[in-house]
Amino acid sequence: MRFDVDSFDTSQWDLLVDSDSGGLKVFRCVNWDETPLHGGSVSEYEVDALFDTITADQNRNGYTDYRKVFFFASESDIIGKTYRVVLNAPNAIITRISLSMAIGTASDTMSDKPDDSSFGDSIQTDVSFLNYVPVWIKRTITDTSSDLVYYRNISVSLTVSK
Amino acid sequence: MADVDLSDSFSGVADNLTVSTDEYTVFHTSAFDVSGRFTLSVPSITACTDPISVITPIRLAIPFDLISDDLLIDASPTITINPELSLITPNLGYDIGRGDLHPEFNCYAPSLLVKALPLVPDIKTVEFGAFKFSHAERENPDQITPETNERFARWGIPEPQIYTRKISIVAESNQATEYYQLQTLFGVRRSLSVYGYAFADAYISNLSELQRKPGLGRWVWHVEFIQHVFESKDRVMLDGWNVPTVITVSDEQKQPIVSDGYAERGISEPIGFSVSRSIEFIDYHGECTSQLENRVGKSFSVTINGVTSNKYRITNISSSAPKGGGLVKIFTVDLQRYQFNTNDSVKFGTVNLSNPTFPNAHDITPEYSVDMGVGFGSLNPIPNIVRRFAVECITTNHYEFEMMVGYIGTKQTLIINGKSYVLAFISLLSALQPRGGGNIWKYTIEFSQKSGVKPAVIKFDGVSLPNAVISSESIEILQTRTTMHSGAIVADLGAIPSKRFSVSCMSNSKSGYNSLYSKLGQKKTLVVDGETITKAYISDLQAARVIGDGADRLYSWDVSFEQETA
């Protein structure tokens, strides 16, 4: 007996893309694993997936996690810009998930990261050519008593003002 | 293709392309999932092209892209999954038996990628001792047959629980040798484990022929096991030895020992029973032969299921071994004992005789010292009556026999079944021992008692003569006879006759004899049964004779008295 279940692509149409971002790259911190030691200095790896899956338990009870990344200007100085983190999610869940950012230090970790009051929808900072700027990104999902529904590929984007 | 029920739309597929809006430029995009429920429908089960076993369930594998701690299978009422699981780990499967898979089941999963793959069929574990079936399962429900005794059941009497269980197994294997290995286990008892549940002491009762599944390299056979369950088992102890592996204990058979003569007259006789029992048991290690032979000829106690009886003897031992030899031997031992409500008792002096029986009637022989001829005219003569009692005794104590030897020549009180006979003596003693010596003495002893004979009461100068028997009593008539020339005889007679007595004495002590010896040459008063004889003197005293060499010596002497009449 066999049965096959293929994944069903429910994504929206692809959006228009623009490659002009000043050569901004995003690097991981050296302690990338989601532990109390998360943070530290910059590593040599770019960020591939910023956040991991929210588990059913976290979905039910609510959850907050943090990621420390380093913005890097690979082409030129990026001065006077505003940075925002953007969430794309279905309406049914978008109100439960929030993202925010804060400027960190070169070596801070979970134990001495910026206070939650410092986190906001956007940050303003300068990224000098071939330099790193530490940035903490916070994700929060509120609890729910509703039936848990599975959502796939909820996207989070880092944007820079033009 | 499965249907995926989505309650809401998704926002976008994750990729790392930059996306620009009017004011901002995206320089990084990534995605994450939020775990929740989705419904996955399985529209039908299609036949698998690979041949599969009819007894082994299909294993369903559900691999997922991501390792997730909260991969859940929702076992709602519409779902039957064998076994039911509420949590499984990705990339592991669970078993779904044929007919158990329902069209829909709910999954908590982070990924929609679900595939079902036939994996190695799961094995239901069946083991017979160390023998493991590679693939086996119960073919039919076990048949349990209780063994009941209707007589007990009728009265609601609880009896030991005994039942027989038949377990039917169908087995498959890719190796025919597995079947032949099972064949070698005929006749052995092992623990049969079926799906982890053990049935002790099971044995193969039926094994089908080996069959081959058409078109397959696979063999099938059917095997039946039998298990007997007994709530309790017989326990037997012979003379302190625990009899191993008792198979059967026969009922106690009592046969009364009846004498026709008594029964005919309705006389209640001493009740005696012959009691016999048989015990059947198995000897696995060859230890029982010596245990039994050492007890042959002995009287010992037997305890059967907590009840003890004494004085059992082995009357028969038989054994049989299985065809072709082997370590197992089945023994049957017959036991017998006698039970009497009364027993004889004999005591002589201070000794209680062991296990006395009376083979003969008591013998009474009258001895008449007076002729009882018709013309005599004496009335009621007093004869001597000699009683004889013959007793057969069996003892394991040889000192008892030696004590009887020491009593020879003495007179003791004999008590038979409570009746006393004074001044009895041993008139015969013989003994028999088994060949080769042994600690059993079987002896015959005869006691005699003379009644009607009473020792005379004789005193000489106050000294009693012990056990005096007057052997003769005479009167001496003093006379002188003179023959005249004419031939006439003139008799001159003494005016006073003189009495003479001869007496035999017996004593265990020589003091009586010594007392008489000291009175030699003296003229003293002799009293014989109340008759006084004055001026008597000892005319003859024979030396005392010692009889016997036991602890009690017997002295016997004869003494004669004469009388001076002047």
Side-chain angles (χ1 to χ4, degrees), chain B residues 52-59 96-98 120-124 134-137 172 218:
Chain B
I52 51 175
S53 167
V54 296
I55 66 169
T56 53
I58 306 303
R59 186 155 186 155
I96 299 177
R98 280 184 173 279
V120 174
D122 194 20
I123 296 174
K124 289 183 177 176
S134 55
H135 305 284
E137 69 173 12
E172 281 191 23
R218 203 162 176 84

Side-chain angles (χ1 to χ4, degrees), chain B residues 402-417:
Chain B
E402 295 299 328
M403 288 186 71
M404 289 297 107
V405 174
Y407 273 135
I408 292 176
T410 68
K411 289 185 181 176
Q412 309 287 339
T413 298
L414 173 68
I415 304 175
I416 296 178
N417 292 333

Side-chain angles (χ1 to χ4, degrees), chain B residues 415-437:
Chain B
I415 304 175
I416 296 178
N417 292 333
K419 294 177 186 168
S420 295
Y421 304 91
V422 297
L423 299 175
F425 56 93
I426 295 173
S427 50
L428 186 147
L429 180 60
S430 64
L432 186 67
Q433 260 193 301
R435 271 193 299 276

